[in-house]
Amino acid sequence: MFIPKRILFEKDALKYEIGNNIYNFFKDNKNVEIIELHSNKIKENIPNDNLYNFYREGKKTLVVGIKKGMNFQSCKPSAHYQLPLMSGCTGHCHYCYLNTNLGDKPYARINVNIDVILAQAQKYIEERLPQETIFEGSATSDPIPIEPYSNALKHTIEFFNKSDKGKFRFVTKFTDIDTLLDINHSGNTEIRFTLNTNMVIKNYEERTPSLEKRIEACIKIIKAGYPMGFIIAPVFIYDNWKEDYRNLLVELNNSLPKDILYPLTFEIISHRYTTRAKNIILQVFPNTGLPMKDEDRIYKYGQFGYGKFVYTKQQIEEIKEFFNKEIECIFKNKIIKYII
Ligand code: SF4
């Protein structure tokens, strides 16, 4: 569970139930500074003399705010829309896409006007009838670390429980999921966990739970009857990578219950980076061991017009062949969604 060093309440955020819950949860904790904003100037309340310090202080900060515009961003290909409940994350993963996308907002933010957000989701669902509409809850965040005291996901899962054509999904590396286990979900929410080898977790995923703890949480989620998926990402090629990823898959299969209601889904994403991301990462994690030598990669233009450094074609083929074969062999009831 995320215990922030400071919480910034935007104007009127305390008028909402979630805002109040968060306030009451922390109000007697002497180690948590509570700041009520009148101007909503967030950056001024977080020490920010340089990017290195701003990142670390930002990651200790929770902003409790109100979502203003109600146009949801699209979220292709994994969902139709992003559900804008939160942004940011408390983890310190060196490679994190949020370093680039939310580099000027490293703090976790929760929007407390959840009923308005869900009412808007309902409008989108109705617009697309009779087709299903899928909402992604973690497009710009990992929403789990603040869940124990916000109950935002709980509320959202209960909303989708009653929906015929609305589905919800989110992905996490964190394990504070106990409040989600005894609620009705009707299989309308899919929970995915991001997993990686112990080498990757230890070296590049600071302040995130161990593989063992993540698998323990996955077992609870499956026992609670949720559809469950795994994102194995980013996949790195290093000495013994095949052995390590095989061990991870075997350990996962051996640990999970066998009587699962839904096939397990797998999404496998090899490591890639942009020049902009690399420049930010090197400022925030100057001693990172992340493999980012441009000459070891090929440059590939993406659908959004900018390029990324990816593994060579031959290496990507090797990754695809390896994961296809191993997942096919190890898991019975599964779907491999993609390997890229
Ligand atoms: Fe980023 Fe996910 Fe790591 Fe959080 S857990 S820092 S969202 S990669």
Side-chain angles (χ1 to χ4, degrees):
M1 178 168 63
F2 176 44
I3 307 292
K5 180 173 170 186
R6 66 182 72 76
I7 308 180
L8 309 181
F9 286 91
E10 285 186 358
K11 195 163 171 283
D12 294 334
L14 282 167
K15 291 184 181 159
Y16 292 80
E17 190 183 340
I18 293 184
N20 250 301
N21 290 347
I22 296 173
Y23 180 83
N24 288 327
F25 192 89
F26 287 108
K27 71 177 184 332
D28 298 324
N29 187 333
K30 301 273 175 294
N31 298 321
V32 181
E33 184 185 7
I34 290 183
I35 302 169
E36 291 185 41
L37 298 175
H38 301 289
S39 62
N40 289 357
K41 286 190 178 145
I42 291 163
K43 220 173 157 180
E44 288 176 6
N45 288 282
I46 302 173
N48 65 17
D49 40 336
N50 58 48
L51 188 61
Y52 181 94
N53 289 334
F54 182 49
Y55 174 88
R56 281 160 182 78
E57 288 298 325
K59 288 275 182 181
K60 295 176 192 161
T61 305
L62 175 62
V63 175
V64 182
I66 297 171
K67 169 90 182 137
K68 302 265 164 38
M70 278 297 156
N71 282 335
F72 291 5
Q73 306 263 329
S74 72
C75 196
K76 285 174 188 159
S78 74
H80 296 101
Y81 294 104
Q82 299 182 13
L83 193 70
L85 301 174
M86 292 159 216
S87 59
C89 172
T90 62
H92 286 211
C93 301
H94 297 193
Y95 55 75
C96 179
Y97 64 108
L98 298 180
N99 294 339
T100 330
N101 293 2
L102 295 179
D104 58 337
K105 300 182 186 74
Y107 46 81
R109 176 194 167 93
I110 178 153
N111 292 319
V112 289
N113 51 338
I114 189 166
D115 290 329
V116 183
I117 295 169
L118 293 175
Q120 180 66 22
Q122 183 60 30
K123 281 190 199 153
Y124 284 119
I125 293 169
E126 284 164 18
E127 271 172 25
R128 286 180 38 83
L129 287 175
Q131 298 174 76
E132 270 185 357
T133 304
I134 304 171
F135 295 86
E136 169 64 59
S138 51
T140 57
S141 70
D142 188 315
I144 285 290
I146 56 178
E147 179 59 18
Y149 47 83
S150 75
N151 287 320
L153 289 174
K154 181 170 182 245
H155 200 80
T156 304
I157 292 169
E158 286 173 337
F159 167 84
F160 282 98
N161 168 53
K162 295 193 202 117
S163 179
D164 279 341
K165 293 290 182 181
K167 302 271 188 223
F168 180 51
R169 64 202 313 247
F170 66 88
V171 59
T172 186
K173 286 190 177 90
F174 290 84
T175 55
D176 312 288
I177 42 97
D178 287 358
T179 49
L180 308 180
L181 300 178
D182 291 328
I183 58 175
N184 294 326
H185 56 76
S186 302
N188 288 343
T189 292
E190 181 197 22
I191 303 180
R192 292 166 294 152
F193 252 83
T194 306
L195 303 177
N196 221 314
T197 65
N198 287 318
M199 190 297 275
V200 173
I201 294 174
K202 184 166 155 268
N203 288 297
Y204 310 137
E205 298 184 354
E206 291 177 41
R207 305 198 191 192
T208 66
S210 66
L211 177 61
E212 199 187 344
K213 293 277 174 219
R214 293 185 209 179
I215 294 178
E216 277 171 20
C218 294
I219 296 169
K220 292 184 191 172
I221 288 164
I222 290 180
K223 286 188 176 162
Y226 284 99
M228 167 106 237
F230 302 102
I231 298 184
I232 300 183
V235 171
F236 290 96
I237 293 183
Y238 58 93
D239 286 349
N240 300 328
W241 67 276
K242 288 187 181 170
E243 195 183 336
D244 282 4
Y245 282 104
R246 186 180 297 114
N247 288 342
L248 157 65
L249 295 169
V250 169
E251 186 183 341
L252 181 63
N253 182 56
N254 290 347
S255 309
L256 296 182
K258 298 294 168 274
D259 50 339
I260 51 176
L261 293 172
Y262 304 93
L264 303 171
T265 62
F266 285 89
E267 298 161 74
I268 316 289
I269 306 169
S270 58
H271 179 240
R272 62 223 30 237
Y273 61 89
T274 62
T275 301
R276 181 158 176 255
K278 178 174 163 177
N279 290 338
I280 294 173
I281 291 166
L282 292 175
Q283 285 179 68
V284 177
F285 298 102
N287 299 320
T288 185
L290 269 183
M292 294 190 294
K293 277 196 193 142
D294 300 354
E295 57 273 28
D296 291 345
R297 302 290 179 99
I298 57 167
Y299 191 70
K300 195 176 163 193
Y301 283 97
Q303 53 174 321
F304 303 112
Y306 56 86
K308 292 185 180 187
F309 289 93
V310 301
Y311 281 117
T312 65
K313 216 169 160 191
Q314 200 183 1
Q315 286 171 318
I316 301 273
E317 279 314 311
E318 202 179 350
I319 289 172
K320 284 187 183 172
E321 196 186 320
F322 170 79
F323 279 100
N324 264 320
K325 183 164 157 270
E326 296 298 331
I327 293 171
E328 279 301 332
C329 254
I330 294 170
F331 294 89
K332 280 214 174 78
N333 191 2
K334 82 290 176 176
I335 296 168
I336 301 174
K337 290 195 152 179
Y338 57 83
I339 305 175
I340 58 171

